[in-house]
Amino acid sequence: MQQPGGRGEVIGAGFADLDQGRSNLDCRAGMGRFADPQDPLFRALNSSIAFDYRLAPYDIEQSLAHARMLARSEIIDADDLEQIERGLAAVRAEIDADSFVVEAGDEDIHMAIERRLTEIAGPVGGKLHTARSRNDQVATDVAMVVRAHSLEARSLLLGLMATLVDRAEGHLDWPLPGYTHLQRAQPVYLSHHLLAWFWKFRRDLQRFNFCMTATDDLPLGAGALAGVNFDTGRMYVAQELGFNGIAENSLDAVSNRDFVLDYMSAAATCAGHLSQLGAEIVLWSTAEFGFCDVDDSFASGSSLMPQKKNPDAAELLRAKAPRIVGRLAGVHGVLHALPLTYNKDLQEDKEPLFDTVDTLELCLRVAREMVSGLRFNRERMAAAASDEFTAATDVADLLVREGVPFREAHGMVGGLVRAAVERHKTLSELTDDELGELAPSLAPEAFRALLDQSSWLESKVSEGGTSLARIGEQLAQARHVLEEATVN
């Protein structure tokens, strides 16, 4: 699908002077009802073609399926269908070539296409709208957009997830601190940390899978709200357009925008995950952490300070998330308390949806490439992970194995940590006498053996833990998820 861009002059020409003339089709559907032309201010407020132009490929695909259904149902004849198909092909060629001209009377892309079709094919173009309203037409176009971009989000997520698995496999046994409250908590392997992002994005993948289900029912055929006066073949159109069924209630069909909310909600959660990933990259790339370095291609400098290398791409991943959340909130506001069925308010779903689509897809592409190019500093991470205080839980568990209740063991080890801090020592620098005084149940030899760093990591043998054996299982499962998702 062509994205907006390169059409500013064409669209601008169409709206350069709203007071001049009117096209062959008045910008109102059903112009015969009105004696006076629309006020230019209302036309400016009412027009949506500046942003719904990007529905054009979907609208043409839908119109072709609708015309073929009309012919199959003997509502139009074969010659009509042939002329409509040729005309729509010509319109599509103009749109693809960026030469389609929007005229001042074109209220939206749907009327613009019908107007141009009629210019090319003659009066037969007016037959295309038989048994169809813009209400069910627009709902169908938007559902098709959501389906297409849910598939695109899935593809981009799978690419990012595959990159995370590759990076995890390449840094399998690199230790670093794990954090809670941004304080060093327990050491983990970098592979384990990277895979945590994999599973977050896997849940995003599942949310976009649901968006495909949410758009399974074809709205087209519901008419304005009550159905149409022809026995149309809705299931034929559904199959032609890739829908699995039809909307069962015409009122619901034209008013439903749940699938827009579903997509934007999935996008907001996904953008939130990307913002967290970006925040971590920003933090890790500081001189204070020094855990990673962002590739130059995703960094920028300072206009004043020559030494600066700013992780701007990661920072923008943080900032784009609230933008998408705000768009979602806006559409919730549009839909709030709307009575059945179609209301012009629904026109306001498109700009937020399109902006969400563009923002999310760009962020997913950036995230994959940036993660792929990250350079990690093994020595810096290992030094931070060697902080013996992060072994405190392991020491408490050692006491538990000796029969000490965990809460009592927790208190003993807390006393050890406090004493070491006050005496400016590491845990391993505490003497046997000090250990006997503070934790008499703790065997000094076992205590010192435990403080070997690898034992802190390899002791996490529970399913989903950070020991290498469990990470190996997790990587195998991650590869399986990728394979299954690619096949399906």
Side-chain angles (χ1 to χ4, degrees):
M1 184 190 78
Q2 280 196 307
Q3 301 298 319
R7 296 195 180 92
E9 294 79 12
V10 175
I11 294 175
F15 289 99
D17 188 349
L18 292 174
D19 288 315
Q20 287 183 357
R22 297 165 71 178
S23 68
N24 293 333
L25 292 178
D26 186 271
C27 60
R28 282 173 285 195
M31 60 169 287
R33 168 65 177 82
F34 300 93
D36 299 321
Q38 289 180 335
D39 188 288
L41 290 173
F42 173 57
R43 289 169 61 185
L45 177 69
N46 191 47
S47 174
S48 60
I49 197 165
F51 53 84
D52 68 17
Y53 193 107
R54 68 189 291 173
L55 294 176
Y58 304 98
D59 199 69
I60 290 174
E61 184 179 354
Q62 177 201 148
S63 293
L64 285 167
H66 179 69
R68 290 164 187 156
M69 180 277 297
L70 291 176
R72 282 171 58 93
S73 302
E74 299 182 346
I75 297 169
I76 63 174
D77 61 32
D79 184 59
D80 292 337
L81 174 61
E82 183 180 352
Q83 292 181 66
I84 289 172
E85 287 181 325
R86 281 202 308 266
L88 286 173
V91 175
R92 173 180 278 165
E94 291 181 357
I95 289 170
D96 290 344
D98 223 11
S99 61
F100 185 91
V101 176
V102 173
E103 295 191 354
D106 293 335
E107 177 183 317
D108 55 38
I109 189 59
H110 319 288
M111 295 192 71
I113 289 173
E114 184 178 338
R115 184 262 308 160
R116 184 60 180 143
L117 172 64
T118 303
E119 290 173 353
I120 294 170
V124 70
K127 294 185 177 183
L128 177 60
H129 207 59
T130 306
R132 184 174 72 170
S133 164
R134 276 192 300 173
N135 294 356
D136 59 347
Q137 183 180 1
V138 172
T140 302
D141 283 354
V142 176
M144 292 170 69
V145 168
V146 169
R147 290 170 68 81
H149 287 285
S150 295
L151 285 170
E152 181 66 9
R154 277 177 43 85
S155 175
L156 293 171
L157 278 165
L158 287 170
L160 175 56
M161 291 161 66
T163 298
L164 287 164
V165 170
D166 290 342
R167 301 310 311 268
E169 288 179 335
H171 301 81
L172 197 62
D173 61 349
W174 291 32
L176 80 159
Y179 293 85
T180 63
H181 307 278
L182 207 54
Q183 306 295 316
R184 291 177 185 170
Q186 293 178 306
V188 297
Y189 288 119
L190 178 57
S191 53
H192 191 57
H193 191 107
L194 292 171
L195 285 171
W197 291 109
F198 175 93
W199 299 109
K200 287 180 183 293
F201 292 123
R202 194 267 183 110
R203 293 193 295 275
D204 291 323
L205 189 72
Q206 293 170 326
R207 292 183 185 95
F208 285 110
N209 285 342
F210 175 77
C211 293
M212 298 300 297
T213 301
T215 54
D216 250 355
D217 297 335
L218 175 75
L220 197 65
L225 76 162
V228 298
N229 297 334
F230 299 88
D231 186 12
T232 55
R234 295 185 67 200
M235 274 306 302
Y236 168 80
V237 178
Q239 291 164 359
E240 285 283 293
L241 297 178
F243 291 82
N244 285 330
I246 61 173
E248 299 291 346
N249 183 285
S250 61
L251 299 172
D252 179 53
V254 299
S255 62
N256 175 28
R257 295 296 186 275
D258 290 358
F259 49 85
V260 174
L261 293 176
D262 292 330
Y263 175 89
M264 295 180 71
S265 177
T269 302
C270 182
H273 290 152
L274 291 169
S275 78
Q276 293 171 326
L277 175 63
E280 218 158 51
I281 292 172
V282 170
L283 196 67
W284 285 10
S285 62
T286 60
E288 286 72 18
F289 272 74
F291 289 178
C292 72
D293 183 43
V294 176
D295 190 81
D296 288 354
S297 58
F298 284 94
S300 65
S302 165
S303 63
L304 176 66
M305 297 166 284
Q307 84 282 5
K308 293 294 296 298
K309 180 179 178 180
N310 302 323
D312 284 2
E315 291 174 359
L316 286 168
L317 289 184
R318 290 188 310 197
K320 296 296 185 182
R323 171 176 176 158
I324 291 178
V325 171
R327 294 298 198 182
L328 171 62
V331 176
H332 271 295
V334 168
L335 297 176
H336 169 71
L338 279 188
L340 292 176
T341 56
Y342 182 82
N343 296 271
K344 193 65 172 180
D345 310 51
L346 293 175
Q347 180 171 291
E348 292 298 308
D349 65 349
K350 294 169 192 63
E351 287 180 284
L353 172 62
F354 297 156
D355 184 63
T356 296
V357 164
D358 294 342
T359 303
L360 179 70
E361 292 178 3
L362 176 60
C363 287
L364 284 169
R365 290 186 175 93
V366 166
R368 178 181 184 177
E369 295 304 316
M370 185 165 51
V371 168
S372 179
L374 283 177
R375 293 179 293 275
F376 295 100
N377 187 325
R378 185 169 192 166
E379 292 73 24
R380 190 68 176 259
M381 290 189 295
S386 66
D387 181 351
E388 289 181 350
F389 291 133
T390 62
T393 302
D394 298 77
V395 176
D397 287 341
L398 180 63
L399 286 167
V400 168
R401 292 189 182 94
E402 297 299 322
V404 179
F406 179 78
R407 283 301 167 204
E408 185 178 335
H410 186 283
M412 285 186 188
V413 177
L416 286 176
V417 171
R418 183 178 66 252
V421 170
E422 291 173 348
R423 298 168 193 182
H424 305 289
K425 294 183 175 182
T426 65
L427 287 176
S428 60
E429 289 172 341
L430 292 172
T431 66
D432 289 355
D433 289 342
E434 288 173 315
L435 291 175
E437 171 195 349
L438 298 166
S441 303
L442 188 62
E445 299 80 7
F447 170 72
R448 299 188 193 289
L450 181 145
L451 292 180
D452 176 69
Q453 184 184 346
S454 63
S455 69
W456 314 348
L457 292 152
E458 289 305 310
S459 65
K460 302 301 184 292
V461 295
S462 59
E463 292 178 305
T466 197
S467 65
L468 286 175
R470 292 305 192 187
I471 291 174
E473 296 170 352
Q474 190 182 165
L475 279 167
Q477 180 61 18
R479 286 292 184 195
H480 175 71
V481 166
L482 290 173
E483 290 169 8
E484 286 287 305
T486 302
V487 169
N488 297 327

